[in-house]
Each structure stands twice: as C-alpha cells, then as structure tokens.
Amino acid sequence: MMRIIMLGAPGSGKGTQTQLLSKYFYIPFISAGEILRQESKKNEKTKKYIKETINQGKLVKNSFIINLIKKKIKKKNCFDKFILDGFPRTIKQAESLKKHIKMHFVIHLKISTDNILDRITGRLIHEPSGRTYHKKFNPPKKKNIDDLTGELLSKRKDDKKKIIITRLKEYKKLTKPLIKWFKMEDLKKNIKYIEINANKSIHKINKKIILCIH
Ligand code: AP5
Ligand code: MG
C-alpha cells in the first residue's frame, strides 16, 4: 500500500517528482492544479470561476476541490497506490481526505524563496498533458518543443511575478499550518511525514524520496 501526498510551495517540484515517482513505482497520480486547468477548459459552468481564481493566485474553495478530487480517486480506481500532487493544501481539505481514505506518506518538499522564483520563471509546459520542463534545469530535447508529441511548449498564465507573490502568500497563510497538522498526525501514527530538502537537483531529490518510502 502506497498512498502518497506531495506537499510544498509553488515551484518546489511537486509535479516533477510526482511524474518521476509515478513512472518508477508504476502508480497513478492525481494533480490538483492540473485537474483544475483541464476543468477550466471543458466545464462551461465553472470555467470562469476557476480561471479567475488561478490567475489571481488564490486557492479555489475547499468544497470545490474536495469534490473534484474525490470523484477522481473513485474514477481512476486509485485504491492501494496513488500519488496526490497539490492536495490537500488546507487543514479543511486534509480533514476531509482523512475521513475518506487513509494516506501513508506525506512528502514535504522544502525550498528557499530564491529557488522558487528561478524555477517558476523558467518553467515551460506542454498544455494538453501538463508535462513540465525548465529552460535551464530540465530543458526539452528540442528548444520549446514537447519531447513526446513534438508540439509547442508554453508558459503557465499564473507564472507571472505578481501572481507568484500572491501564490506564496496563500501558501504561507493556508498551507503552512497544514505542515504542523501533518506532524501531529505523524506523532499519532496516522501518516508518515517526510521532509525533503528540495533545493537539490531533480535527480538527488528523487533518489532521496525513493529511499525514504521504500
Ligand atoms: P498548482 O498547479 O498545483 O501550482 P502550485 O502549487 O503553485 O505548484 P506548481 O505547479 O507551480 O509547482 P510544483 O511544485 O508542481 O513544481 P514543478 O514540478 O512544476 O496549482 C495551481 C493553482 O490551482 C493554485 O494556485 C490554486 O489556485 C489552484 N489549486 C491547486 N490545488 C489546489 C487545492 N488543493 N486547493 C485549492 N486550490 C488549488 O517545478 C517547477 C519548475 O522547476 C519546473 O520548470 C521544473 O522543471 C523545475 N524543477 C523542478 N524540480 C527542480 C529541481 N530540483 N531543480 C531545478 N529545477 C527544478
Ligand atoms: Mg505542479
């Protein structure tokens, strides 16, 4: 049984490490940000709300993301093994998840603010799949081209300096208290809390996480 939560500030590498772990362990993953971005393209009723909230750098309402994630967990047949990238990120979300399903590990990617800005400002994405690259630290084989499809890469709309500042404020206000909550859960043996120094290379972080959860 391996149900993992990836927790960390914007740009800490949650998505990157989720994709690597998913390949290494052959397990599915659910990315909260990715679900919202896909949902904002197809769902007429909610697209305006999602786009506006993400582009302000704010978190969407707890009830909204909780419903989407619960549906995905059921649909993807995520039972014994799966990774949650970017969910939960408030205590309310964590309490709701705890009632629904037992999680085994929470990996907290701890990163300095300087590194956050370098990583986010250099990020490139393949919009249809959510695949992520970095101009300098994780470049695609061909400049600005997705390795798998050959399609053009782009920048995320919320990766602008002004929006990043709000995202970091939201993280400090709403997600940081969750770290303490998980540490308490670890003491009660409800989950294993693992803190990783995320200021290292992608490869080193990945090796360390695998070592910790094996
Ligand atoms: P989301 O998409 O989850 O954004 P985020 O939390 O801000 O995190 P990022 O995706 O920006 O960073 P990451 O940690 O995945 O880093 P990555 O691996 O890409 O959420 C977007 C929005 O959706 C939120 O702002 C909110 O509005 C909403 N939302 C999502 N979940 C929600 C929830 N639970 N509740 C309410 N609202 C929610 O890496 C970043 C860059 O660095 C990449 O270019 C990568 O190639 C590079 N990189 C990665 N690791 C390294 C390394 N070790 N060294 C060098 N470069 C690296
Ligand atoms: Mg991400």
Side-chain angles (χ1 to χ4, degrees):
M1 299 267 257
M2 196 190 279
R3 301 190 193 127
I4 306 169
I5 293 167
M6 300 301 290
L7 181 72
S12 57
K14 300 182 294 295
T16 303
Q17 294 300 331
T18 295
Q19 292 187 4
L20 292 173
L21 292 172
S22 159
K23 270 194 200 140
Y24 184 87
F25 290 113
Y26 297 102
I27 57 178
F29 68 87
I30 295 171
S31 160
E34 210 37 54
I35 288 178
L36 288 167
R37 282 185 285 276
Q38 298 301 338
E39 197 73 14
S40 77
K41 281 182 211 155
K42 60 177 195 221
N43 194 328
E44 280 306 319
K45 265 200 226 152
T46 52
K47 69 188 335 174
K48 189 166 175 272
Y49 167 67
I50 300 175
K51 275 190 184 161
E52 275 177 9
T53 314
I54 291 184
N55 291 336
Q56 279 167 7
K58 301 265 186 185
L59 294 190
V60 301
K61 281 189 208 124
N62 284 320
S63 55
F64 189 79
I65 187 75
I66 287 168
N67 283 336
L68 283 174
I69 296 285
K70 279 188 182 164
K71 267 192 220 154
K72 272 279 175 231
I73 291 179
K74 262 196 203 152
K75 204 171 165 188
K76 277 209 165 190
N77 267 336
C78 294
F79 202 73
D80 289 348
K81 298 174 176 183
F82 67 93
I83 308 170
L84 282 179
D85 158 22
F87 182 91
R89 61 177 95 189
T90 64
I91 293 177
K92 272 249 157 65
Q93 292 175 18
E95 281 170 343
S96 163
L97 182 70
K98 188 183 166 186
K99 279 188 208 147
H100 188 63
I101 196 163
K102 179 177 169 59
M103 300 299 290
H104 305 105
F105 299 99
V106 53
I107 314 279
H108 172 202
L109 298 173
K110 215 174 166 185
I111 185 174
S112 69
T113 310
D114 282 354
N115 280 337
I116 290 177
L117 294 177
D118 280 353
R119 288 187 191 176
I120 296 188
T121 48
R123 170 164 49 198
L124 292 169
I125 57 153
H126 176 243
E127 226 185 285
S129 69
R131 257 187 304 284
T132 302
Y133 301 85
H134 190 282
K135 279 182 190 165
K136 205 160 101 192
F137 307 131
N138 184 23
K141 287 181 188 134
K142 269 194 205 161
K143 199 177 171 190
N144 273 331
I145 301 287
D146 178 48
D147 289 349
L148 296 189
T149 62
E151 288 166 350
L152 265 183
L153 300 176
S154 57
K155 295 205 108 250
R156 248 168 66 176
K157 292 209 172 57
D158 58 339
D159 279 354
K160 297 186 180 86
K161 278 230 166 89
K162 209 176 139 199
I163 305 174
I164 299 171
I165 292 168
T166 313
R167 282 161 64 193
L168 290 174
K169 278 190 190 153
E170 287 280 275
Y171 178 76
K172 209 169 160 193
K173 189 171 90 189
L174 298 163
T175 310
K176 274 210 162 159
L178 182 59
I179 295 168
K180 214 171 164 186
W181 188 89
F182 274 126
K183 286 183 178 168
M184 293 299 292
E185 287 294 294
D186 179 282
L187 284 177
K188 293 185 224 158
K189 305 250 183 277
N190 290 335
I191 199 163
K192 178 121 186 64
Y193 170 85
I194 299 167
E195 200 167 275
I196 301 277
N197 177 358
N199 298 300
K200 304 264 170 77
S201 72
I202 293 177
H203 177 67
K204 276 193 182 150
I205 295 168
N206 190 241
K207 259 177 78 179
K208 180 88 189 170
I209 298 174
I210 291 170
L211 206 74
C212 289
I213 58 181
H214 248 322

